């Protein structure tokens, strides 16, 4: 490959975070240093060299703040303190320094749509103490009748009655996660203070949780039963003042910081609109492409059916409407979604399909996000009963269905739970074939996936042909090749049901990516691309077809060419 290729700087808008690869850590499940069965910050610090060897540039640390853990840290009791189970602020500072010493950056999870109901703000608010009285969405009325028909994203009504205050409060998520009232300027100031406090501690940016839900309309109008999603979500998603609130947040975040907003319910066009609007969001996690395989409801058994042409259409829309015009967060999984290999790959071709997904994510336009375990091809686990599930979303939704009489037993939701549970992603990281996968010396807080004897870091690092080593090489390739970061994306053969192929062009530099996204051999119809004279940059089988045009690709074979 043309090393150090020259880029016409006037054509691209360079930023460090566009050229970065992000690694997401769910601390509870990453590495336990003190034997209590729960991952912790010193455990992460022990593994910083591991991350450096893999070659990632940024760590996104899921919440480590003080929390009663109804939603594993996404219910924050104190924004300025570290959860006891995870360590203390000195541990956090050591982690930050260990990352910075190795030229890696750290971004923190900013969870400010809601707090924990144990947060001091909520405690004071329910007692109607001074300025705090109006910090949350309170509505008075009969304890028998919630203010409107809104449903929570985690099952059941979005309102709970607080006996102490004698009023209803809003929670888009769990009842332990009351929504902050962003209409109140004091709340916005309190939040920007938190943002500044963390920036002052030397962090490099934020992943912003549930940012699409910050604004709720005056009067809390009823939800329309004909709308898609939980009742009322059309009102509490992308609400009327969201842009204004984001502008205020953006005003206290320096330009060089990286910001990625999670926007459930946003289309590609919405994502682009909020990125383009100002300087708050560099990129957005939006989820249309992850809807491709969703079953209708939790009692259905059609989960996991998806078609490659539809997936290509969704990804291509994201590339054209968001990535090309602004920037894109590239991801196929995170702590809220099943394992990528089990979902978009094929466990029968675990190694090949895990490498294919890596090839895909690391050769699209945008910033790739890897979720812990993805780099070794970790897979889903199996749940036999609701008792085995920790995930507040799954438990909330299933308990609500049981309470309503919509289902009588776990069996009726078994397929959906095993397909959708967020716990698949939260089983502990598999470090070695040793006892308890070397994740902990104690009892892991969530059961390990049994396959840790075959799928683990120690073996993967030692094996030059492993998924891990493939990821490492892909990250290196991307780092050396601006065409893979900034190049224009063009989809080839959109209707092909097995092959996902595309080109990336930048200033005369041309790359071609061919993925056989199926368990059967497939021929790459070139779709007019003159790639006969191609050079293989990387492939996931021992040798990729040297002339890709009309060549056969093996099951889940993926290769990147310069042509
Ligand atoms: C986001 C987080 C998820 C959490 C929810 C509520 O969607 O990614 O894990 O449960 O927000 O904070």
């Amino acid at each position: 490959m043309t090393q150090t290729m020259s880029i016409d700087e006037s054509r691209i808008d360079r930023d460090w975070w566009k050229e970065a690869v992000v690694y997401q850590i769910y601390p509870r499940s990453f590495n336990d240093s003190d034997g209590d069965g729960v991952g912790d910050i010193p455990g992460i610090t022990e593994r910083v060299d591991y991350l450096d060897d893999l070659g990632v540039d940024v760590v996104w640390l899921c919440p480590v703040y003080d929390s009663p853990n109804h939603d594993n840290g996404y219910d924050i009791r104190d924004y300025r303190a570290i959860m006891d189970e995870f360590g203390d602020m000195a541990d956090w500072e050591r982690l930050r320094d260990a990352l910075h010493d190795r030229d890696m950056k750290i971004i923190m999870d900013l969870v400010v749509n809601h707090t924990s109901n144990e947060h001091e703000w909520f405690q004071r608010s329910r007692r109607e103490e001074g300025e705090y009285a109006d910090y949350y969405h309170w509505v008075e009325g009969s304890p028998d009748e919630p203010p409107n028909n809104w449903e929570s994203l985690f099952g059941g009504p979005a309102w709970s009655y607080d006996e102490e205050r004698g009023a209803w409060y809003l929670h888009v998520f769990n009842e332990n996660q009351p929504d902050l009232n962003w209409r109140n300027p004091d709340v916005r100031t309190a939040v920007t203070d938190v943002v500044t406090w963390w920036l002052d501690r030397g962090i490099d940016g934020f992943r912003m949780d549930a940012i699409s839900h910050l604004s709720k309309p005056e009067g809390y109008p009823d939800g329309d039963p004909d709308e898609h999603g939980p009742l009322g979500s059309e009102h509490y998603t992308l609400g009327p003042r969201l842009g204004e609130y984001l502008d205020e947040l953006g005003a206290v975040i320096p330009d060089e910081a990286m910001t990625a907003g999670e926007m459930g319910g946003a289309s590609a066009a919405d994502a682009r609109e909020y990125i383009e609007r100002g300087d708050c969001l560099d990129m957005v996690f939006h989820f249309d492409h992850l809807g491709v395989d969703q079953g209708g409801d939790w009692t259905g058994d059609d989960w996991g059916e998806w078609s490659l042409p539809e997936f290509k259409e969704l990804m291509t829309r994201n590339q054209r409407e968001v990535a090309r015009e602004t920037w894109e967060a590239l991801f196929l999984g995170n702590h809220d979604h099943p394992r990528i290999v089990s979902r978009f790959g094929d466990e029968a071709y675990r190694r090949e399909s895990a490498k294919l997904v890596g090839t895909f994510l690391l050769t699209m336009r945008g910033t790739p996000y890897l979720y812990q375990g993805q780099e070794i091809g970790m897979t889903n686990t199996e749940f036999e009963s609701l008792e085995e599930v920790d995930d507040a979303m799954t438990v909330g939704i299933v308990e609500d269905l049981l309470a309503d009489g919509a289902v009588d037993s776990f069996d009726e939701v078994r397929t959906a739970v095993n397909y959708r549970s967020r716990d698949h992603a939260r089983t502990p990281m598999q470090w070695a074939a040793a006892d308890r996968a070397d994740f902990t010396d104690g009892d892991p807080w969530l059961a390990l996936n049994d396959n840790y004897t075959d799928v683990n870091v120690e073996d993967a690092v030692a094996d030059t042909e492993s998924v891990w080593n493939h990821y490492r090489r892909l990250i290196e390739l991307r780092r050396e090749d601006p065409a893979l970061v900034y190049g224009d994306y063009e989809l080839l053969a959109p209707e092909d049901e097995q092959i996902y192929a595309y080109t990336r062009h930048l200033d005369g530099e041309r790359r071609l990516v061919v993925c056989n996204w199926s368990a059967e051999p497939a021929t790459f119809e070139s779709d007019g691309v003159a790639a006969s004279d191609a050079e293989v940059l990387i492939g996931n089988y021992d040798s990729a077809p040297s002339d890709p045009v009309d060549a056969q690709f093996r099951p889940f074979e993926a290769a990147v060419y310069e042509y």
Side-chain angles (χ1 to χ4, degrees), residues 71 74 114 154 173 177 207 209 262 335-336 422 426:
D71 190 17
Y74 282 93
H114 47 271
F154 281 1
F173 295 94
Q177 295 167 294
R207 176 266 186 184
D209 186 74
E262 185 205 28
H335 65 295
D336 293 330
R422 304 191 298 175
R426 301 174 181 185

Side-chain angles (χ1 to χ4, degrees), residues 24 26 60 62-63 71-75 109 111-114 153-154 172-174 177 207-211 213 262 264 287 334-336 391-393 422 426:
Q24 182 192 351
Y26 194 70
W60 151 19
C62 285
D71 190 17
N72 292 343
Y74 282 93
D75 47 326
D109 217 313
V111 188
V112 289
N113 172 67
H114 47 271
L153 296 169
F154 281 1
V172 163
F173 295 94
N174 193 292
Q177 295 167 294
R207 176 266 186 184
M208 300 179 173
D209 186 74
I211 211 85
H213 305 303
E262 185 205 28
F287 296 88
N334 61 27
H335 65 295
D336 293 330
D391 164 22
M393 177 189 83
R422 304 191 298 175
R426 301 174 181 185

Side-chain angles (χ1 to χ4, degrees), residues 92-109:
W92 180 84
E93 284 168 2
R94 273 189 286 275
L95 171 61
R96 175 203 57 197
D97 294 346
L99 289 167
H100 284 167
D101 287 349
R102 290 161 183 79
D103 282 333
M104 283 183 270
K105 313 234 185 226
I106 178 167
I107 64 172
M108 298 293 279
D109 217 313

Side-chain angles (χ1 to χ4, degrees), residues 227-467:
E227 287 282 341
H228 177 74
L231 267 175
S233 53
E234 76 273 23
H235 293 302
Y236 62 68
T237 305
L238 306 174
R241 293 178 64 187
L242 177 59
E244 184 193 325
Y245 299 159
L246 293 177
D247 294 346
E248 281 189 39
L249 269 181
V252 297
I253 302 179
D255 270 0
E256 62 274 16
M258 163 178 180
T259 50
E262 185 205 28
M263 288 197 143
S267 65
D270 298 325
R272 173 174 160 190
E273 180 190 327
Y274 285 101
I275 299 168
E276 278 181 339
R277 125 167 226 124
D279 58 2
C280 183
L281 299 174
D282 293 327
M283 62 192 109
V284 158
F285 296 100
H286 53 109
F287 296 88
D288 276 357
H289 62 296
L290 295 188
V292 73
D293 61 344
Q294 296 300 286
D297 63 42
W298 283 63
T299 54
D301 51 17
D302 53 349
W303 292 75
E305 288 165 21
W306 62 286
S307 89
L308 189 65
E310 190 188 345
F311 180 68
K312 287 194 266 190
E313 192 184 322
L314 292 164
M315 291 304 300
T316 300
R317 189 197 301 156
N318 293 348
Q319 286 289 299
R320 288 194 184 134
E321 291 186 18
V322 190
R324 182 169 67 194
E325 302 303 325
T326 56
W327 202 247
E328 178 74 324
L330 299 168
F331 70 106
L332 287 177
N334 61 27
H335 65 295
D336 293 330
H337 291 276
R339 293 284 177 182
I340 298 174
V341 178
S342 307
R343 182 175 188 180
F344 290 111
D346 184 335
E347 289 185 23
Y349 289 94
R350 191 188 63 80
R351 286 164 77 103
E352 293 81 0
S353 62
K355 292 178 187 177
L356 173 140
V357 167
T359 309
F360 175 69
L361 284 172
L362 287 151
T363 56
M364 298 285 271
R365 183 175 156 102
T367 299
Y369 286 74
L370 312 183
Y371 178 68
Q372 67 187 37
Q374 176 177 343
E375 76 279 23
I376 55 168
M378 279 177 65
T379 59
N380 283 352
T381 182
E382 182 82 35
F383 304 101
E384 296 295 338
S385 70
L386 199 56
E387 286 68 55
E388 291 174 20
V389 179
D390 169 82
D391 164 22
M393 177 189 83
T394 302
V395 172
I397 290 175
V398 174
E399 281 182 346
D400 188 48
L401 290 169
L402 288 165
D404 276 1
V407 300
D408 294 325
S409 70
F410 179 77
D411 270 345
E412 292 174 50
V413 289
R414 181 184 291 271
T415 309
V417 168
N418 272 290
Y419 194 75
R420 186 63 192 85
S421 170
R422 304 191 298 175
D423 283 350
H424 288 303
R426 301 174 181 185
T427 62
M429 185 72 183
Q430 297 167 194
W431 292 104
D435 256 7
R436 285 154 265 180
D438 213 12
F439 160 71
T440 179
D441 293 334
D443 275 338
W445 73 277
L446 187 68
L448 280 151
N449 188 320
D450 294 337
N451 67 6
Y452 69 87
T453 45
D454 297 322
V455 181
N456 62 70
V457 166
E458 193 173 67
D459 292 346
V461 169
D463 170 2
T464 53
E465 297 313 314
S466 66
V467 175

